[in-house]
Amino acid sequence: MDAYTRDQTYAPPGAPAAVVLARDTAEVVTAMVWASEQRVPVVPRGGGTGLAGGATAVDGCLVLSLAKMTAIREIVPQDHLAVVEPGVITADLDRAAREHGLMYAPDPSSHEISTIGGNLATNAGGLRCVKYGVTRDSALGLEVVLAGGQVVRTGGRTVKGVTGYDLTGLFVGSEGTLGVITSATVRLRPAPAEPPSTVLATFGTLAAAGRAASLIMGAGLRPSLLELIDRATLRAIDEWRGIDLDTGTAAVVLAQTDGPECPAGELLRWCEEAGADFAAASTDETESAALLDIRRLAYPAAERLGNCLVEDVCVPRSRLPEMIERIERAAERHGVRILTVAHAGDGNLHPLFVFERGRAGPPPPVQAAADEVFSAAIELGGTLTGEHGVGVLKRPWLDGELGPDTLAVHRRIKEALDPDGLLNPGKAI
Amino acid sequence: MDAYTRDQTYAPPGAPAAVVLARDTAEVVTAMVWASEQRVPVVPRGGGTGLAGGATAVDGCLVLSLAKMTAIREIVPQDHLAVVEPGVITADLDRAAREHGLMYAPDPSSHEISTIGGNLATNAGGLRCVKYGVTRDSALGLEVVLAGGQVVRTGGRTVKGVTGYDLTGLFVGSEGTLGVITSATVRLRPAPAEPPSTVLATFGTLAAAGRAASLIMGAGLRPSLLELIDRATLRAIDEWRGIDLDTGTAAVVLAQTDGPECPAGELLRWCEEAGADFAAASTDETESAALLDIRRLAYPAAERLGNCLVEDVCVPRSRLPEMIERIERAAERHGVRILTVAHAGDGNLHPLFVFERGRAGPPPPVQAAADEVFSAAIELGGTLTGEHGVGVLKRPWLDGELGPDTLAVHRRIKEALDPDGLLNPGKAI
């Protein structure tokens, strides 16, 4: 059972009473009715790739895995939509859509191992958000099993609809605390006709790289991907896989464009304007994929170095360079190793705080540095979590961002939908 | 006080006890605290341009107008956002944004007279939704006064953020039944660099016009506007304003593109493919504005003919031609005059059912035809309301779309946030 108790964090799991591998909505209903009658807490989970401890088991709970519900029930090419079960692997849906000239846009870095259900539960972001939005923006409708076992449907198959409250939006990102998503109608988009152009630029300072991202977005360009990788991360990747890293490189900006509204030449121009040492564009698919792999290797490369506290702060886009500086200062002040990658186009940064493996949680200097980073994000008008969710690991900071009155509204909604507090207790809110 | 009791529908208002014209959040709090202590229902309102009776006064209520809160508190060009009070006229915000090379994308046809607060309360759509999304997609954060007078803040200034539930989405579109929006942080977008190209195509049959819209969207093009106007509407506009309507024209498709990813030539090509009698593109700004005015005149032209029941069905995009046929059949069967305009790119149709002025509500044949249209929309996988909201006028059909279990979830949320049922009672859910 142990494999069903954790996500990808160090958050220590409780001991579940049992694991249910549901194969259809009826089995989810059966599980929820039983749990509700027995007052047993339920921890729903998808691929277990979460980065905030949202799927971590609690003592005595029923772990409810949706990973076996993997059917793509429908693809309706003419309406640009699909109906999927929650256990579908994100990249599998994208591949299925591409057979119809369409794509499923949301692509968290974990897209080859994470599930649509998990993506919906956390409102996952990813590399293409900067152009195509987050998971919420691709969710048209849901089937949800409530705490008592009732099955409700939200939204529908239309791109617009205002009958009743936006329950689809409410369940998306609620981290399994309000209901269990058993099916989703998701938006597909036309796949770009041409292969994307990928731009790589290297910078001698992290601040210059941050400025490049701010200039690109400020100019109103809309790349389909705009990432920043700092020196510490590049080194970790280089040590592991060998990427011929230049010792003078403090940061890399990686951008992609998949449409004529964002010419690659403009992306290059702004990188040079910001002081890039090197900047080049490629339309070769193999080369593009290799460049993107650098970004996708960031987490596994960091995890080779020890346990990681993964922060997920997001700031207004123009504050990105300032936020990067604040992270560097926190690392220095507390003597902590921080690797930073960022969805720079969204102002969403992932500082990875490395600490000794085997510890139950981060040591005090890491906690202190993380506190400082979070406070800086709030001070700059930002948020604690751009796309990973609160889970258990970020709950200590929740009140600092939301404040007691807004948090009280959350608790009233939670109580209205799950009066016995059985759904994923201790998570998200 | 009478002017504050109605919206733009025939829905008969009750007699309010008083009208409050709030000038700031503190006055809204005072009003809500008083109303809560006295158990007086509160009907919030903006510009009073609603099309579903959402702002219609109820007997003994306090009408709470936000129309005097008209400050644009901030425009932050580098972060593409603005902070506004709810009484700001939608088009005024757009004009203010354009001084910074930006735009506020949502543009309901009423944008010169409707307010941001009202747009948010109904999650208003409009002409540019097909490319830029609905009001929800431009709402980053809100300040909301709850039924008891507490002030809460949702969302923030970042383009991503998953701390807690999506309360911004929950309040948007809740038609004043969960709280009173007193400020909003909204997303601005880069204004297109070039003036848009406007395409006008005329068709001998309504079905061919519907097909043109389906072909354009099916091809993955993303025009910034894609409207359809039927013969009855064109005639009403022609009689009023004189637009040299050709007698052979059964419908017009009006499209606009504001970016290189959607060439005007492609729009023309698909219109011709669908059998257009005439199709031409213009980049002249005066001419473009005149063409758009035709669309914006649809409602006032219909209202010259009598009272109007404005339907707002939305279907999956590929079902548009079928939905148009079903509307025509309903009109014939019940001998009712129906004018149809559609945000064709979204599958969102507005059949306007004309009936004799002075009646309290639609006569039985109009009700029967409307019932039939609504049933057809549901049957085709659609919804009762794409962008106008439920208000009072669409409540009879609510249960038919949502079903009792989903409706029960709405009522639990309503009760959690407004236990005494004081906020806009009898509306939306």
Side-chain angles (χ1 to χ4, degrees), chain A residues 79 160 165 177 318 348 387, chain B residues 79 160 165 177 318 348 387:
Chain A
D79 288 322
K160 292 160 75 178
Y165 300 150
T177 63
S318 70
N348 186 193
E387 57 180 17
Chain B
D79 288 322
K160 292 159 77 178
Y165 300 150
T177 63
S318 70
N348 186 193
E387 57 180 17

Side-chain angles (χ1 to χ4, degrees), chain A residues 14-220:
Chain A
V19 175
V20 167
L21 305 178
R23 280 165 309 187
D24 56 30
T25 302
E27 292 190 349
V28 174
V29 170
T30 304
M32 289 307 306
V33 167
W34 178 85
S36 161
E37 282 168 4
Q38 306 295 324
R39 303 271 167 132
V40 169
V42 174
V43 178
R45 64 184 282 126
T49 62
L51 295 169
T56 305
V58 300
D59 279 333
C61 77
L62 191 67
V63 171
L64 177 51
S65 168
L66 288 309
K68 300 274 183 210
M69 292 180 64
T70 57
I72 297 177
R73 290 189 196 154
E74 279 182 72
I75 291 187
V76 189
Q78 64 274 27
D79 288 322
H80 297 182
L81 64 82
V83 183
V84 297
E85 291 183 352
V88 172
I89 296 290
T90 313
D92 286 347
L93 173 59
D94 187 39
R95 279 186 283 267
R98 286 188 193 256
E99 286 174 27
H100 302 273
L102 300 169
M103 66 190 256
Y104 177 66
D107 69 333
S109 296
S110 58
H111 68 162
E112 289 287 1
I113 47 172
S114 63
T115 63
I116 296 289
N119 292 177
L120 289 162
T122 56
N123 192 12
L127 303 180
R128 292 194 289 236
C129 292
V130 59
K131 178 164 182 178
Y132 297 105
V134 293
T135 299
R136 166 71 191 101
D137 299 308
S138 287
L140 296 173
L142 301 175
E143 179 188 80
V144 178
V145 179
L146 300 180
Q150 305 92 327
V151 181
V152 298
R153 279 168 198 85
T154 73
R157 289 173 171 248
T158 57
V159 293
K160 292 160 75 178
V162 293
T163 306
Y165 300 150
D166 179 12
L167 296 187
T168 304
L170 184 63
F171 285 113
V172 170
S174 66
E175 301 188 35
T177 63
L178 298 178
V180 179
I181 296 168
T182 47
S183 163
T185 303
V186 297
R187 181 196 296 250
L188 305 176
R189 291 165 202 270
E194 307 285 319
S197 289
T198 306
V199 167
L200 177 87
T202 66
F203 296 85
T205 68
L206 194 50
R211 207 158 54 232
S214 283
L215 287 172
I216 288 167
M217 297 306 293

Side-chain angles (χ1 to χ4, degrees), chain A residues 332-363:
Chain A
E332 268 168 47
R333 192 185 342 258
H334 301 280
V336 170
R337 188 165 183 183
I338 305 182
L339 285 63
T340 297
V341 290
H343 305 304
D346 300 317
N348 186 193
L349 301 101
H350 297 309
L352 313 173
F353 298 70
V354 182
F355 61 93
E356 206 186 330
R357 215 182 299 279
R359 288 187 59 101

Side-chain angles (χ1 to χ4, degrees), chain B residues 18 78 81 125 262 275 308 312 343-344 378 395 398:
Chain B
Q78 64 273 28
L81 63 82
C262 178
C308 285
D312 175 37
H343 304 305
I378 295 291
R395 281 187 89 207
L398 197 57

Side-chain angles (χ1 to χ4, degrees), chain B residues 159-182:
Chain B
V159 293
K160 292 159 77 178
V162 292
T163 306
Y165 300 150
D166 180 11
L167 296 187
T168 305
L170 184 63
F171 285 113
V172 170
S174 65
E175 301 187 37
T177 63
L178 299 178
V180 179
I181 296 167
T182 48

Side-chain angles (χ1 to χ4, degrees), chain A residues 127-132 196 222-226 256-258 262:
Chain A
L127 303 180
R128 292 194 289 236
C129 292
V130 59
K131 178 164 182 178
Y132 297 105
R222 217 170 166 190
S224 53
L225 178 152
L226 184 54
Q256 239 177 22
T257 167
D258 63 8
C262 178

